Amino acid sequence: MKRLIIPLLLAIALSMNAAPGMPVIKGERFPDTQGDHINAHGGGIMEKDGTYYWYGEHRGDGTPGSGQKGVVCYTSSDLHAWTPRGVVLAVTDTKGDPLEAGCIIERPKVVFCPATAKYVMWFHHELKGVGYGSAHSAVAVADNPLGPFRMLRTGRVNPGVMPVNLPSESVSKQWSDTLEWWTPQWRKAVDEGMFTVRDLDRGQMARDMGIFVDSDGKAYHIYSSESNLTLQIAELDSTFTRHTGKYVRLFPGGHNEAPAMFKHDGVYWMITSGCTGWEPNEARLMRADNILGPWKQLPNPCRGAEAEKTFCGQSTFVMRVGDSYTFMADIWNPKNLADSRHLWLPVKFDSDGVPFIDSPDSYRIASIE
Ligand code: DGJ
C-alpha cells in the first residue's frame, strides 16, 4: 500500500506550470508516508542540510474533544513524500503550566539561529481557559530540529516600548476604548495608536504570526496585533529568541491575519488574509523596499475561480526553494480541524515583477503512469 501511495502522491502533485519538482497541492487529502492525512496546520517549512522540516499545529485525531497534542513535524528530502516525526513541542498534564493541555497553539514557525546553533520556534499561544484572550507569543528552542523543544517564554510583545513609527506624544492622547467601532473618530484613534497605547504596559497583542529571516541574517516577528486590527513587525535579537524593542505598526485598522512574508529581487512581499474566523476571505498583497516600511497594499494576488476567497484557503507561509516560491494555505475545516486541507500553489511574477497566484483549477493533474 505504502509503495503505491508515494508515486500516486507524486503524480497528483506534479502539475503544469509549477517549477519542476515543486508540489502543487489543491486541497485533496495529503497522505504522509504512513498513509495518514498530514496533521500539521498553520505551519511553515524550514530547510536544513538538505532536509525539509514541516512544522504545524496538531489538531487532534478527529474525534471531538481529542485536542491538540502540540507542534508536530514531518520531514522530506523532496517536498513530496513526508515522514511523520511526531510531536516536537508537547502540551503537558501539569496544571498551571503554560502548555497545559487545553491551551491553544497556532501558526508555529521554526528557524535555525546561526549565532546559537539552536532551532527556534515561535508560535501564537493562548493560555488554557481564556479563549483567544491572552494574545501571547511563545518561544521555544531545541538543539535538534526534531526537538524536543523547550519552552522559554510566553507573553505579549515589547511591553513598555512604543513603535518606531508612532510619535511618543500619542501616549498622552485622551482616547477611549469605548468609542463606537468603525466610526470616523474610532478609525482616526486607531490610526493614531489608541490600541497600541492601551496595551503599552502589558505588551502588544500577538496572534496570527510569521517569522522572517532576512538576507542579512536579521530575524523579524510579524503578527496581528491591537485586537487583530493592525499588523506589527518586530525585530528579534541575534539569538532570535527576544524582541529588541524596535518595531513598527502596519495598516492600522486593516484587519489583517495570517501574514506570510517573502523577499524576491530585493523587494519584501507579504500575503495576508482578512479576519473572518475559520471562513475564507480575499487575500491581500503588500510590498515594501524596506522591511520596516513603508508598506503599500496592492490588489488581491489570487486569479481565477474563487480568487475572491483565496480558493477557500488562508495563507500560512511562502516557501522559497531556489528561485521558486510556493504559497501555502490552510483550507480550514472547523468541524474537524485535523482534516483541514493543504493548498500549495506556485507564486508567479507578472511583467512588472508583481507576484500572483493562479487558481488550483489551472493546474492539471499529471497523468498517472
Ligand atoms: C483565524 C486565524 O487565522 C486562525 O489561525 C485561527 O486563529 C482562527 N482565526 C480562529 O477562529
Side-chain angles (χ1 to χ4, degrees):
M1 184 64 181
K2 269 188 226 162
R3 277 204 208 117
L4 279 176
I5 288 169
I6 296 167
L8 186 67
L9 178 62
L10 268 170
I12 291 170
L14 287 169
S15 307
M16 276 168 40
N17 300 327
M22 293 302 288
V24 173
I25 309 297
K26 306 178 1 166
E28 64 275 19
R29 204 171 158 274
F30 191 172
D32 63 20
T33 50
Q34 317 277 308
D36 298 319
H37 177 60
I38 294 178
N39 192 356
H41 310 281
I45 290 181
M46 177 196 72
E47 186 272 339
K48 188 79 177 70
D49 303 328
T51 298
Y52 296 96
Y53 297 84
W54 180 359
Y55 299 91
E57 304 159 11
H58 171 269
R59 282 297 187 174
D61 61 13
T63 51
S66 59
Q68 293 191 283
K69 281 192 193 151
V71 176
V72 283
C73 181
Y74 292 76
T75 57
S76 177
S77 57
D78 62 5
L79 297 168
H80 294 270
W82 290 93
T83 303
R85 298 308 195 115
V87 175
V88 296
L89 175 92
V91 299
T92 149
D93 291 334
T94 310
K95 289 226 175 318
D97 188 288
L99 287 177
E100 181 180 353
C103 71
I104 299 174
I105 294 174
E106 290 187 351
R107 299 184 177 272
K109 304 291 178 301
V110 175
V111 289
F112 175 70
C113 177
T116 58
K118 302 245 185 254
Y119 297 86
V120 182
M121 176 190 291
W122 283 88
F123 58 95
H124 167 200
H125 180 221
E126 298 289 350
L127 298 168
K128 183 180 176 180
V130 297
Y132 283 90
S134 322
H136 279 190
S137 298
V139 58
V141 292
D143 295 324
N144 185 306
L146 296 177
F149 281 81
R150 180 172 54 88
M151 182 91 153
L152 288 183
R153 206 174 328 108
T154 177
R156 295 273 182 94
V157 177
N158 283 324
V161 185
M162 285 288 277
V164 294
N165 62 348
L166 191 63
S168 51
E169 303 88 83
S170 303
V171 178
S172 57
K173 282 214 175 179
Q174 294 298 306
W175 283 307
S176 161
D177 227 355
T178 57
L179 280 177
E180 197 183 330
W181 280 50
W182 304 111
T183 56
Q185 299 89 317
W186 177 88
R187 277 298 310 222
K188 184 165 180 290
V190 171
D191 279 355
E192 294 175 345
M194 172 170 72
F195 287 85
T196 329
V197 172
R198 177 196 69 185
D199 295 335
L200 194 59
D201 290 345
R202 184 171 169 195
Q204 298 299 306
M205 288 182 153
R207 293 196 179 109
D208 281 13
M209 54 143 283
I211 298 289
F212 179 76
V213 181
D214 206 346
S215 37
D216 62 3
K218 276 195 182 175
Y220 298 85
H221 180 199
I222 306 114
Y223 50 94
S224 303
S225 192
E226 305 180 28
S227 298
N228 283 356
L229 288 163
T230 300
L231 285 170
Q232 295 186 354
I233 300 182
E235 185 186 70
L236 298 178
D237 72 2
S238 61
T239 70
F240 295 179
T241 62
R242 288 188 178 278
H243 298 99
T244 62
K246 187 173 181 184
Y247 71 105
V248 289
R249 310 170 67 227
L250 314 181
F251 307 106
H255 243 166
N256 286 286
E257 281 192 322
M261 188 185 283
F262 59 106
K263 188 178 183 182
H264 177 64
D265 281 349
V267 177
Y268 299 88
W269 298 98
M270 183 158 46
I271 298 175
T272 67
S273 74
C275 286
T276 51
W278 301 113
E279 292 302 313
N281 55 52
E282 189 169 25
R284 293 103 182 261
L285 176 69
M286 287 89 172
R287 71 152 280 165
D289 293 319
N290 182 318
I291 193 164
L292 296 180
W295 283 82
K296 186 176 166 222
Q297 187 164 343
L298 285 84
N300 178 5
C302 299
R303 293 186 180 178
E306 303 204 286
E308 73 293 350
K309 47 180 185 163
T310 317
F311 322 120
C312 299
Q314 185 185 28
S315 40
T316 181
F317 192 70
V318 173
M319 168 173 56
R320 179 175 184 178
V321 177
D323 279 335
S324 300
Y325 299 80
T326 297
F327 172 69
M328 292 171 55
D330 298 281
I331 301 178
W332 296 113
N333 176 356
K335 294 203 175 111
N336 178 2
L337 284 169
D339 193 42
S340 299
R341 300 302 175 90
H342 308 287
L343 195 61
W344 290 19
L345 297 171
V347 176
K348 302 175 185 175
F349 294 87
D350 70 14
S351 53
D352 294 323
V354 177
F356 65 94
I357 304 157
D358 273 331
S359 141
D361 295 348
S362 61
Y363 296 92
R364 76 172 165 77
I365 293 185
S367 58
I368 298 170
E369 311 209 342

